[in-house]
């Protein structure tokens, strides 16, 4: 099948979170399985400044936005197995930020308009027409909307799949913005009336409503988002489309995330020969200014510091953890200022036990995955989570809250690969850490948990098979 991916971030070009990893690795896995994949993403200023090699422009057009039109030029990647098209829309992407601008809705309306022109270009000039358009998260959702309404006559034969990576970010703005997008309230108000969607313009909701198939990134999250507790006010709409919703667990790129070859590590290691992991732990302790001591349990965090990730629980349990155990803690992350400050204060007060680095640092992240004994993920909700999958591969035992993809990948018990708690509160988190530290004191028991995790296969191959089946299904749904 020919599949066009549409995403706002794609690694290694631009990455702020898990979406970038998925949008990079899944196309490769699909291509490996014999499908033909191309990817479209914005050409952010950062890409131009870094001099990412690309050819072009291969196409140029003007994109309507309300009463105006903005210029777009399309560039094509040079050095990737899967062709990537970069939409260069200066009005939208010629600025420092990736997201979080006051006019994000306008920027990504332009992006989706640009994608439609690019589909046209691919067909007319390059002779390539997708069987399936696979749009990711709210930034790309209007592509599905356009295919099913505005462009139905021209592109209606293309099946559409929409993937929710995080339901919390919906791209919801004032309904006046509809005019900018050239869309009408149309089906959404009709069908969405009962779901609190009248009088808003919600990109995520439009993706969910119009796509032939909606997927999300773990089976548990697919069930959770149909409940009020996790549905972010779209649970009604999701229940309405329940027979079209599937959960497919993300994989990780096991060639990138491999402790045997990771060039960021002090020493390589494998499940058969773990000596290198001890060297990684010592190097991490040293780099972070902690006492270099192989016997002390080292707990790592690599995370956005936002409400979702539940790290306020770590803030709450840290004093007790430092008082009652000999554990060390390394935190790498950035996000909400109050959390950053809270962790920095812990670091200042206990410099030899707690190390805090605020920022986004790919090399240090890998060193934490490799050098820690356990990784903490006390998430409130977690669509899939990549951290625990990387940790498992690096022989770092995940301690997680049972939600979303964490519930689907981490098990505690006789054949466990980690430690799991259920109610989202400090007591249950502290107890889970307590059980992990008790296990850590028994080297044979700990090695058994750790090695089981390391031997699991979380590569993209199995997800690619499931996505291919979803694409076939979406095509059958529209009569192919
Ligand atoms: P989310 O997409 O919600 O942030 P995921 O667990 O799905 O969470 O993916 C997060 C990805 O970003 C992982 O690959 C993780 O290692 C990486 N990451 C998160 N924070 C940082 C950071 N401060 N520095 C480097 N990498 C980070």
């Amino acid at each position: 099948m020919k599949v066009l991916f549409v995403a706002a971030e794609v690694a290694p070009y631009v990455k702020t979170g898990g979406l970038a990893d998925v949008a990079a690795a899944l196309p490769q896995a699909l291509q490996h399985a014999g499908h033909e994949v191309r990817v479209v993403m914005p050409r952010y200023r950062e890409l131009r400044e870094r001099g990412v090699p690309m050819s072009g422009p291969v196409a140029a057009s003007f994109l309507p936005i309300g009463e105006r039109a903005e210029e777009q030029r399309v560039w094509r990647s040079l050095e990737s197995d899967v062709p990537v098209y970069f939409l260069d829309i200066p009005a939208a992407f010629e600025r420092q930020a990736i997201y979080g601008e006051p006019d994000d809705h306008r920027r990504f309306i332009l992006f989706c308009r640009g994608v439609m022109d690019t589909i046209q270009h691919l067909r007319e000039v390059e002779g390539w027409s997708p069987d399936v358009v696979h749009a990711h998260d709210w930034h790309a959702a209007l592509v599905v909307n356009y295919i099913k309404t505005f462009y139905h006559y021209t592109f209606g034969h293309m099946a559409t799949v929409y993937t929710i990576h995080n339901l919390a970010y919906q791209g919801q703005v004032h309904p006046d913005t509809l005019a900018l997008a050239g869309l009408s309230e149309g089906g959404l108000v009709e069908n969405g009336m009962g779901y609190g969607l009248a009088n808003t313009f919600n990109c995520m909701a439009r993706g969910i409503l119009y796509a032939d198939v909606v997927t999300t990134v773990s089976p548990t999250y697919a069930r959770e988002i149909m409940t009020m507790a996790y549905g972010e006010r779209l649970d009604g709409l999701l229940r309405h489309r329940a027979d079209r919703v599937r959960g497919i667990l993300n994989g990780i790129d096991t060639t990138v995330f491999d402790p045997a070859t990771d060039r960021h590590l002090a020493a390589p290691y494998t499940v058969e020969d773990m000596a290198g992991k001890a060297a990684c732990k010592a190097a991490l302790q040293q780099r972070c200014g902690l006492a270099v001591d192989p016997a002390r349990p080292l707990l790592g965090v690599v995370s956005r510091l936002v409400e979702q990730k539940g790290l306020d629980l770590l803030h709450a349990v840290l004093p007790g953890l430092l008082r009652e155990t000999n554990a060390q803690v390394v935190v790498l992350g950035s996000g909400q200022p109050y959390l950053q400050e809270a962790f920095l204060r812990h670091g200042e007060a206990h410099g030899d036990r707690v190390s805090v680095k605020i920022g986004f640092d790919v090399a240090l992240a890998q060193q934490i995955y490799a050098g820690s004994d356990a990784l903490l993920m006390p998430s409130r909700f977690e669509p899939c989570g990549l951290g625990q999958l990387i940790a498992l591969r690096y022989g770092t035992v995940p301690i997680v809250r049972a939600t979303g993809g964490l519930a689907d990948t981490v098990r505690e018990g006789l054949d466990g690969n980690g430690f799991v708690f259920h109610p989202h509160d400090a007591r249950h988190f502290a107890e889970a850490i307590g059980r992990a530290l008790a296990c850590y004191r028994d080297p044979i028991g700990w090695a058994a948990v750790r090695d089981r995790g390391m031997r699991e296969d979380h590569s993209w191959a199995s997800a690619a098979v499931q996505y291919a089946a979803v694409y076939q299904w979406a095509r059958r749904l529209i009569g192919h």
Side-chain angles (χ1 to χ4, degrees), residues 398-459:
I399 301 174
V400 308
R401 165 137 193 273
T403 182
L406 296 173
D408 291 330
T409 53
V410 183
R411 316 172 302 281
E412 181 170 345
L414 272 182
D415 76 332
N417 59 3
F419 295 86
V420 179
F421 67 103
H422 291 261
H424 193 267
D425 61 42
R427 177 166 73 87
H428 288 90
F429 184 37
E431 285 172 3
I433 297 175
R435 293 193 300 278
L437 295 183
C439 178
Y440 183 79
R441 286 191 287 275
D442 160 24
I444 294 175
W446 184 258
V449 176
R450 187 192 65 197
D451 293 359
R452 266 195 294 274
M454 283 186 90
R455 289 184 202 281
E456 288 173 0
D457 178 6
H458 291 287
S459 68

Side-chain angles (χ1 to χ4, degrees), residues 131-154:
D131 303 307
V132 181
V133 175
H134 188 171
H136 297 263
D137 268 353
W138 78 263
H139 322 95
L142 295 185
V143 168
V144 174
N145 191 161
Y146 284 133
I147 289 176
K148 291 296 176 192
T149 55
F150 221 76
Y151 288 87
H152 196 64
Y153 184 69
T154 355

Side-chain angles (χ1 to χ4, degrees), residues 157-451:
H157 60 285
M158 295 173 186
T160 51
V161 175
Y162 179 61
T163 296
I164 302 166
H165 294 263
N166 192 334
L167 192 66
Y169 304 96
Q170 299 181 357
Q172 177 166 318
V173 286
H174 194 272
D176 286 355
T177 314
L178 276 167
L180 278 187
L183 293 167
S184 65
E185 294 210 342
L188 197 67
V189 169
E190 249 161 64
N191 294 301
M193 202 60 107
Y195 310 119
L197 293 171
N199 297 323
T200 75
F201 175 35
N202 184 318
C203 296
M204 174 72 82
R206 284 171 180 264
I208 294 168
L209 185 69
Y210 285 111
D212 297 309
V213 177
V214 176
T215 75
T216 186
V217 290
S218 69
T220 296
Y221 193 59
R223 284 191 300 276
E224 286 173 341
I225 57 179
M226 293 189 205
T227 66
M228 251 174 69
Y230 291 88
E232 306 280 352
R233 304 180 55 194
L234 295 183
D235 46 299
L237 176 62
L238 282 156
R239 284 194 299 274
H240 169 71
R241 301 229 62 209
D243 59 340
R244 299 290 186 93
V245 179
R246 291 287 181 278
I248 301 177
L249 209 53
N250 283 338
I252 52 171
D253 185 333
T254 47
T255 57
V256 173
F257 296 111
D258 182 356
T261 56
D262 190 331
R263 62 193 167 77
H264 297 300
L265 307 192
Y269 60 95
T270 62
V271 65
E272 285 82 25
D273 179 3
M274 293 291 284
K277 186 165 171 79
C280 290
K281 179 171 175 178
L284 180 64
Q285 286 170 323
Q286 185 149 32
R287 171 169 181 180
C288 295
L290 305 173
V292 178
D293 180 349
R296 283 179 177 230
L298 177 47
L299 311 178
V301 172
V302 179
S303 181
R304 291 185 293 125
L305 300 180
V306 296
E307 184 91 358
Q308 172 196 341
K309 301 293 177 180
L311 288 161
D312 46 316
L313 295 193
L314 178 59
H315 169 60
V317 305
L318 250 181
L321 189 68
L322 296 174
R323 207 172 44 240
E324 289 161 25
T325 75
N326 64 347
Q328 299 172 327
V329 178
V330 177
V331 177
L332 167 64
S334 66
Q336 281 158 357
Y338 82 95
L339 271 175
Q340 296 187 170
E341 277 156 31
F343 282 112
L344 283 171
R345 275 200 300 278
H346 285 298
E348 279 159 22
H350 307 278
D352 56 335
R353 301 276 306 275
V354 181
S355 168
V356 177
K357 171 104 193 282
I358 302 300
F360 198 91
D361 183 336
V362 172
L364 180 58
Q366 295 313 111
Q367 289 157 9
I368 294 174
Y369 287 123
S372 303
D373 295 298
L375 186 85
L376 305 176
M377 292 184 74
S379 303
R380 284 199 162 69
F381 68 93
E382 194 61 77
C384 175
L386 297 178
Q388 83 281 16
L389 301 180
I390 303 170
L392 287 166
R393 177 126 171 103
Y394 280 68
T396 297
V397 173
I399 301 174
V400 308
R401 165 137 193 273
T403 182
L406 296 173
D408 291 330
T409 53
V410 183
R411 316 172 302 281
E412 181 170 345
L414 272 182
D415 76 332
N417 59 3
F419 295 86
V420 179
F421 67 103
H422 291 261
H424 193 267
D425 61 42
R427 177 166 73 87
H428 288 90
F429 184 37
E431 285 172 3
I433 297 175
R435 293 193 300 278
L437 295 183
C439 178
Y440 183 79
R441 286 191 287 275
D442 160 24
I444 294 175
W446 184 258
V449 176
R450 187 192 65 197
D451 293 359

Side-chain angles (χ1 to χ4, degrees), residues 31-151:
Q31 192 135 300
H32 196 73
H35 304 288
E36 250 183 67
V37 189
R38 299 189 182 192
V39 180
V40 190
M41 67 173 286
R43 186 197 197 222
Y44 299 102
R45 178 159 102 193
E46 195 184 315
L47 296 182
R48 181 172 60 69
E49 287 175 349
R50 283 210 318 265
V52 171
M54 41 184 90
S55 67
V58 296
S61 59
F62 281 93
L63 310 173
I65 180 103
E67 304 289 305
R68 292 174 56 100
E70 301 287 359
E71 190 184 7
Q72 131 158 309
R73 282 171 302 167
V74 182
W75 301 75
R76 195 185 145 129
S77 61
L78 282 176
E79 290 168 357
S80 56
D81 303 338
V82 177
V84 181
Y85 292 84
F86 301 98
L87 305 196
D88 175 7
I89 308 168
F93 302 119
E94 193 52 42
R95 42 182 111 182
Q96 211 58 47
I98 306 296
Y99 311 124
E101 298 279 277
D103 62 342
D104 270 2
H105 55 281
R106 186 175 191 276
R107 299 170 69 212
F108 287 99
I109 288 170
L110 280 165
F111 175 60
C112 292
R113 284 281 199 190
V115 172
M116 300 315 299
D117 278 12
T118 306
I119 295 176
Q120 218 142 6
H121 160 82
L122 286 174
R123 187 169 71 171
E124 284 162 16
V125 180
E126 301 196 18
W128 192 89
S129 185
D131 303 307
V132 181
V133 175
H134 188 171
H136 297 263
D137 268 353
W138 78 263
H139 322 95
L142 295 185
V143 168
V144 174
N145 191 161
Y146 284 133
I147 289 176
K148 291 296 176 192
T149 55
F150 221 76
Y151 288 87

